[in-house]
Amino acid sequence: MRFVRRALLAAALSVPYLAAGAAAAQGFPTQPITMIIPFAPGGPTDVVGRMLGEVMSRELGQPVLVQNVGGGGGTIGVNRVVQARNDGHTILYTNIGIATQPTLYRRLPYNPLTDLETIGLVTPTPMVISLRPNFPGTTLADFIAYARQRRDGVNLANAGLGSASQLCGTLLQAALGINFTTVSYTGSGPIFPELMAGRIDVYCDQTTSSLPFVRDNRIRGVAMATASRLPQASEIPTAAEAGLPNFEVSIWHGFYAPRGTPRPVIDRLNAALRVAIQDPAVVARLNDLASPPEPLDRVTPEAHRAFLEAEINRWRPILQAAGQFAD
Ligand code: MLT
């Protein structure tokens, strides 16, 4: 009896909550949506986020305005969303870094699993190792020989501790057993001019930003961190073919909203995202950059959340063994 009473009470209490959620979604969005990209303009997160935002704007009937909040390897931008109003008008688009940050930052001001709502996964993206165009050598083997001689005289760039490029760079250093001089930027956007100018020797980043520069011979793509060659860049050998076995790094992306964003609002955002990643122009561009959209069964809040949790657990021991922490 007591159980029945409790159940009735819970049901009565949840009705206004559900009604409020449904009401919030009905009018949603009532104003422009801010999409926080936690990196500088011009990098892969920015480029793909803007592409998706255009279609989502059409779908949602409100502009989706990108705001770049770089710094702290992406943590400053993520925290901005964690602190934002949870009405769906502020969302986050970011990469795998959100799963490595809880290990790299022992005093991280948020927990991605409890302070954010997942909206859906977006794209898996391969990583490519690139060298400055005036590097004295054309292959990964050339670079490895050079690095063994120069060691910390090699400049490796990353987009900050907790970024995808930092993860790839950390794994590269661990695989070679060499600590390079790492130079951190607020995103890939500012790194490429430095690489092209020869001030950075090596950079491991996503195909979505690197491939156009490799194709234009403005940087030298020497190895893909993938199991097999990509049809979009078949001239670039895999890391294993190039002399670095078992070097495979797979990056992924997703959309988030602050904790407590009503579920109907999350569903509306998810529906817009699903349209965006099926848009023919978006699909063609993503495929050309070797970053095809996720299959639709992964573009759900539940699949995204389960994957995020698995990724946090997957990377923790690997990063702890690599021993690079922010604090
Ligand atoms: C990363 O390394 O996480 C990204 O390349 C940063 C960016 O999107 O600019």
Side-chain angles (χ1 to χ4, degrees):
M1 190 59 197
R2 201 185 306 154
F3 170 76
V4 174
R5 228 182 289 135
R6 235 188 256 156
L8 284 173
L9 183 64
L13 286 174
S14 70
V15 167
Y17 173 76
L18 290 176
Q26 246 175 22
F28 176 82
T30 54
Q31 62 190 66
I33 293 175
T34 300
M35 182 198 297
I36 302 269
I37 303 278
F39 299 106
T45 320
D46 181 69
V47 166
V48 176
R50 284 174 195 272
M51 205 190 300
L52 297 167
E54 259 185 58
V55 184
M56 290 169 80
S57 293
R58 286 205 295 274
E59 271 309 296
L60 293 165
Q62 285 282 353
V64 175
L65 306 172
V66 168
Q67 196 179 338
N68 297 88
V69 183
T75 58
I76 296 173
V78 175
N79 202 35
R80 183 75 63 85
V81 177
V82 165
Q83 305 291 332
R85 232 183 119 111
N86 57 3
D87 60 3
H89 292 100
T90 306
I91 58 176
L92 168 72
Y93 178 58
T94 195
N95 63 29
I96 191 172
I98 197 147
T100 60
Q101 291 157 6
T103 302
L104 297 171
Y105 290 77
R106 284 170 287 198
R107 285 190 292 272
L108 195 65
Y110 52 83
N111 176 340
L113 286 170
T114 52
D115 289 324
L116 290 168
E117 306 291 343
T118 47
I119 296 173
L121 290 165
V122 178
T123 56
T125 311
M127 302 294 274
V128 53
I129 301 174
S130 301
L131 305 178
R132 58 183 160 92
N134 59 350
F135 187 82
T138 54
T139 65
L140 183 66
D142 293 337
F143 170 72
I144 294 174
Y146 177 93
R148 293 214 185 287
Q149 250 185 5
R150 307 279 172 115
R151 306 193 74 81
D152 64 1
V154 171
N155 288 341
L156 164 81
N158 67 35
L161 200 73
S163 62
S165 48
Q166 183 262 334
L167 175 65
C168 194
T170 297
L171 298 174
L172 179 63
Q173 292 175 91
L176 297 176
I178 305 174
N179 285 330
F180 301 142
T181 297
T182 55
V183 189
S184 290
Y185 296 78
T186 54
S188 283
I191 292 174
F192 284 107
E194 295 291 285
L195 186 62
M196 289 173 205
R199 284 186 284 272
I200 292 297
D201 295 302
V202 60
Y203 186 43
C204 182
D205 199 36
Q206 302 167 52
T207 51
T208 35
S209 51
S210 298
L211 276 193
F213 296 128
V214 171
R215 287 172 179 158
D216 283 355
N217 294 317
R218 293 168 76 186
I219 60 175
R220 218 169 266 171
V222 289
M224 297 293 324
T226 51
S228 51
R229 288 193 188 208
L230 302 177
Q232 296 88 341
S234 56
E235 72 287 1
I236 305 179
T238 66
E241 286 173 330
L244 196 60
N246 304 319
F247 191 76
E248 291 169 29
V249 191
S250 158
I251 297 304
W252 50 271
H253 302 79
F255 274 97
Y256 304 81
R259 172 179 53 185
T261 303
R263 178 64 196 227
V265 170
I266 296 287
D267 288 344
R268 182 105 168 78
L269 289 164
N270 174 271
L273 168 62
R274 291 167 82 88
V275 171
I277 62 161
Q278 294 177 84
D279 178 86
V282 168
V283 173
R285 183 76 186 127
L286 288 175
N287 279 337
D288 179 55
L289 295 173
S291 179
E294 294 276 5
L296 286 179
D297 62 349
R298 280 169 60 84
V299 191
T300 67
E302 289 73 26
H304 182 179
R305 190 179 180 74
F307 187 66
L308 170 64
E309 187 163 11
E311 283 285 283
I312 291 173
N313 293 332
R314 173 160 91 102
W315 288 109
R316 186 176 296 120
I318 299 171
L319 292 168
Q320 281 170 342
Q324 286 194 358
F325 301 106
D327 44 38

